[in-house]
Amino acid sequence: MPGHSFIEVNQRIETERRAKFLGTASIRFSSLKPRSAAANPIRRPATKPLQRLFREEHGCRQEDSRHHAKATISQDELQTALMLSGISEISMLKADSLPYPQLEFPPGTRLECIQGCDRIIAADEVFDGANKRWIVDLYLNDISDDLKTLFTEEYTYQKDPEDGEFYCKIRRYQGYHGNENPFFEGIWLGRLSALSKNRRDLLDQLFRHKKYTDAFDALLPIPALFCGFRLTVVHQVISMRCEEPNIHYLKHIFRIWSSICNDDPQIMQLVDSSTVERLQGKAPGAFMADRDDLLLDLESGRIFGNLSEQQRAGIWYRLCEATRQCLVPSLFTFFEDRKFLSPVAECLRRLTGMNCKATITSRLSDMFQGTHQQWVQTSDAEYLVFPGDAATQFDLGCRQLWLAAFREFRDIPTDSEKKERLAKARRRADETTLFEMASLAQRLGFASKEINMILGTSPDRQVAERVLLSARKPGKYRYPEFEYCVQQIAGAFATAQPVPTSQMQHNSEMGQCVEPPARYGIPHNTDHDRDQGRLFLPNILLIPEPGERNVSSFFVRRSVYAAYFGLPP
């Protein structure tokens, strides 16, 4: 039945296309009205590359039927133009006769262009004088919505859509934030399958995870956000077993952008991909450099160009208010920050169980036994203690374990062995770091066999044994009194004294910023070294001081933390 329905709809549209076709003519650019960029907020404008192409070719092959534009016209407009041009309707239907007849229109008449708009806009910038014309296939302006949609989307067959456009189109035609249309759903699913079977399979995998699908669907009212969507990474997001923080991040994206757009559905639809790409990772409400750059973009129309000047003024105020404590998030930053959350999650899984199929949050809930008081870590060796109920203990406990993983993720092994300037995880897990994290988890009221196993072995002894065996390879050397040597080295470790917190902060502040911090993804090593001693809950809760010139790496970490976990009430 679905196959028959598809064939019937296709036949109906094709019959209408032939019936409403009026012919082909050469028309001045001034008589054509290209659709606005808001008609497809996800797709990046292609006019610049086309301008370069037309300049290199000193023209273009617009006579080729594949390069024709399509426009709609009323019967009255057509008759007036035929009389003004002195040509017949029959001459416009002779597709094999070149050159195409030139059709002239009275001043002020502009035909709606529904296909090939980017070519017309680009050519209008490049061509001069009599060359400012394009070959256009004309159709009556009472064509159905289905035929108009087919023309609009048929043109994109010449360019591979990005993942976000596939997602938005397919979900729209499945009836999510759009009218259900099985015909066009089938067309877009077919295009995706033809382009990449792997991406088609990954889309099906995403659809099987309702919570993630619902979270992405919630962003559909702002389609431009999907310029940063990545089907090829979704399966990695799902396999992280970090469902709760990931979905919180996606909700955070909508919360910030809907606030910027004043919860106005029309404004949300008018946001374009250029605006999203320019704003993501910026905080004009917190940093003067971001404010100065983006204010110039706003005034020139490079961002929010589809809105009126009055609307942009309101947008600017709300944008600054929304970014006093966080960077502007987007789907691009979501997928980039996954690169940071992944090794952080690996760190926590050493406590929750590497092979556990449950999400980390649900596993921590199972592990939580509570304590008689609330512990809040303020440094590696210092804590605040106060009363707290079980719900607060669990919430703050989870937050502090995630922050501990934020600090120590570099000391957990990953599959990558590349030498990077970024603060990526080292190959060997640090025994002392694992022991300290397990001790923290136990203090905060969590218990598991993994925690017990880590705490059951002295990290000093493990390190001492490894030092001895690394210094002299087994098989080539042996120690006459191995146990004595281990005890001696471990005893030397025991003489170390903690550095005062004030001195640690001073050393941290001495670190130099040689380059701007990474605003998303994995932080630079130097930035992480400087911020590591500050990544404790009391510091996260401090409201950033306004008036700074440039974004700080700690502000970025705090923003990422807030995106994944929010801030406690």
Side-chain angles (χ1 to χ4, degrees), residues 116-184:
C117 302
D118 53 356
R119 294 173 186 245
I120 292 173
I121 295 171
D124 192 23
E125 291 291 325
V126 175
F127 295 171
D128 296 316
N131 292 323
K132 281 184 170 289
R133 308 184 71 94
W134 200 263
I135 306 302
V136 182
D137 296 334
L138 293 173
Y139 292 82
L140 276 175
N141 63 353
D142 62 349
I143 60 175
S144 67
D145 290 340
D146 279 351
L147 181 56
K148 184 178 289 188
T149 299
L150 186 66
F151 283 153
T152 302
E153 299 184 354
E154 177 186 57
Y155 184 61
T156 62
Y157 271 78
Q158 301 174 30
K159 322 167 202 173
D160 289 338
E162 295 182 358
D163 289 353
E165 187 170 1
F166 274 117
Y167 188 88
C168 288
K169 293 290 187 182
I170 291 168
R171 294 305 276 172
R172 170 187 169 191
Y173 293 132
Q174 289 176 342
Y176 297 90
H177 295 279
N179 296 321
E180 186 176 359
N181 191 317
F183 176 76
F184 286 107

Side-chain angles (χ1 to χ4, degrees), residues 164-437:
E165 187 170 1
F166 274 117
Y167 188 88
C168 288
K169 293 290 187 182
I170 291 168
R171 294 305 276 172
R172 170 187 169 191
Y173 293 132
Q174 289 176 342
Y176 297 90
H177 295 279
N179 296 321
E180 186 176 359
N181 191 317
F183 176 76
F184 286 107
E185 177 196 353
I187 285 179
W188 279 89
L189 285 172
R191 290 189 64 189
L192 180 58
S193 295
L195 182 64
S196 169
K197 181 180 183 301
N198 179 55
R199 286 159 73 183
R200 177 70 174 87
D201 293 340
L202 291 172
L203 181 65
D204 286 338
Q205 181 182 358
L206 173 58
F207 286 166
R208 290 194 293 271
H209 288 78
K210 187 175 185 305
K211 289 183 179 179
Y212 274 115
T213 305
D214 288 348
F216 283 117
D217 286 350
L219 299 176
L220 288 172
I222 315 174
L225 287 172
F226 283 84
C227 66
F229 183 75
R230 302 179 192 172
L231 261 180
T232 51
V233 184
V234 163
H235 68 291
Q236 297 175 11
V237 173
I238 294 171
S239 66
M240 288 170 62
R241 300 195 289 277
C242 296
E243 185 176 282
E244 294 85 356
N246 279 329
I247 289 177
H248 188 280
Y249 196 122
L250 293 172
K251 290 180 178 179
H252 174 69
I253 295 172
F254 184 76
R255 185 164 54 250
I256 294 296
W257 279 92
S258 61
S259 172
I260 293 171
C261 296
N262 203 29
D263 298 317
D264 187 325
Q266 183 180 6
I267 293 178
M268 292 178 186
Q269 289 287 327
L270 291 174
V271 175
D272 58 24
S273 60
S274 298
T275 297
V276 173
E277 290 172 344
R278 191 76 180 98
L279 290 185
Q280 61 195 9
K282 301 291 181 63
F287 300 101
M288 291 185 289
D290 287 358
R291 183 160 61 248
D292 293 345
D293 289 346
L294 293 177
L295 187 55
L296 287 175
D297 287 343
L298 186 83
E299 292 171 346
S300 66
R302 285 195 293 269
I303 59 174
F304 298 108
N306 296 322
L307 302 178
S308 68
E309 188 174 340
Q310 182 179 2
Q311 286 176 313
R312 291 204 296 270
I315 285 272
W316 179 249
Y317 171 79
R318 293 189 295 273
L319 173 61
C320 291
E321 285 296 307
T323 56
R324 294 191 185 281
Q325 297 193 50
C326 69
L327 303 170
V328 175
S330 68
L331 282 178
F332 173 81
T333 67
F334 170 77
F335 286 109
E336 285 296 300
D337 285 334
R338 178 205 65 82
K339 299 174 184 177
F340 171 71
L341 188 68
S342 181
V344 168
E346 288 291 325
C347 190
L348 272 187
R349 271 199 284 271
R350 296 297 292 264
L351 306 182
T352 62
M354 297 297 291
N355 298 319
C356 181
K357 299 299 182 184
T359 67
I360 290 177
T361 300
S362 61
R363 175 63 182 138
L364 286 174
S365 178
D366 293 339
M367 291 165 50
F368 185 68
Q369 296 181 347
T371 63
H372 297 297
Q373 51 197 354
Q374 178 66 63
W375 296 85
V376 173
Q377 191 177 22
T378 58
S379 72
D380 286 327
E382 297 173 328
Y383 294 83
L384 296 175
V385 182
F386 53 87
D389 58 32
T392 303
Q393 288 180 23
F394 175 70
D395 177 60
L396 296 185
C398 288
R399 290 178 178 279
Q400 292 183 85
L401 285 180
W402 279 107
L403 275 174
F406 269 44
R407 295 192 299 273
E408 309 296 353
F409 75 97
R410 290 186 300 183
D411 292 325
I412 296 299
T414 65
D415 294 333
S416 175
E417 297 183 16
K418 294 186 198 174
K419 292 182 179 179
E420 299 279 358
R421 68 187 179 92
L422 299 178
K424 290 192 174 182
R426 301 189 179 105
R427 180 164 177 74
R428 178 185 291 277
D430 183 274
E431 296 89 344
T432 303
T433 299
L434 281 176
F435 189 88
E436 290 173 350
M437 281 199 64

Side-chain angles (χ1 to χ4, degrees), residues 60-72:
C60 59
R61 299 171 54 245
Q62 55 177 296
E63 287 81 7
D64 189 324
S65 61
R66 293 171 297 178
H67 298 168
H68 290 185
K70 287 183 172 62
T72 57

Side-chain angles (χ1 to χ4, degrees), residues 524-540:
H524 297 147
N525 256 319
T526 53
D527 292 332
H528 187 73
D529 289 340
R530 184 173 52 255
D531 296 333
Q532 190 172 14
R534 298 179 61 195
L535 289 172
F536 293 92
L537 193 58
N539 295 327
I540 294 293

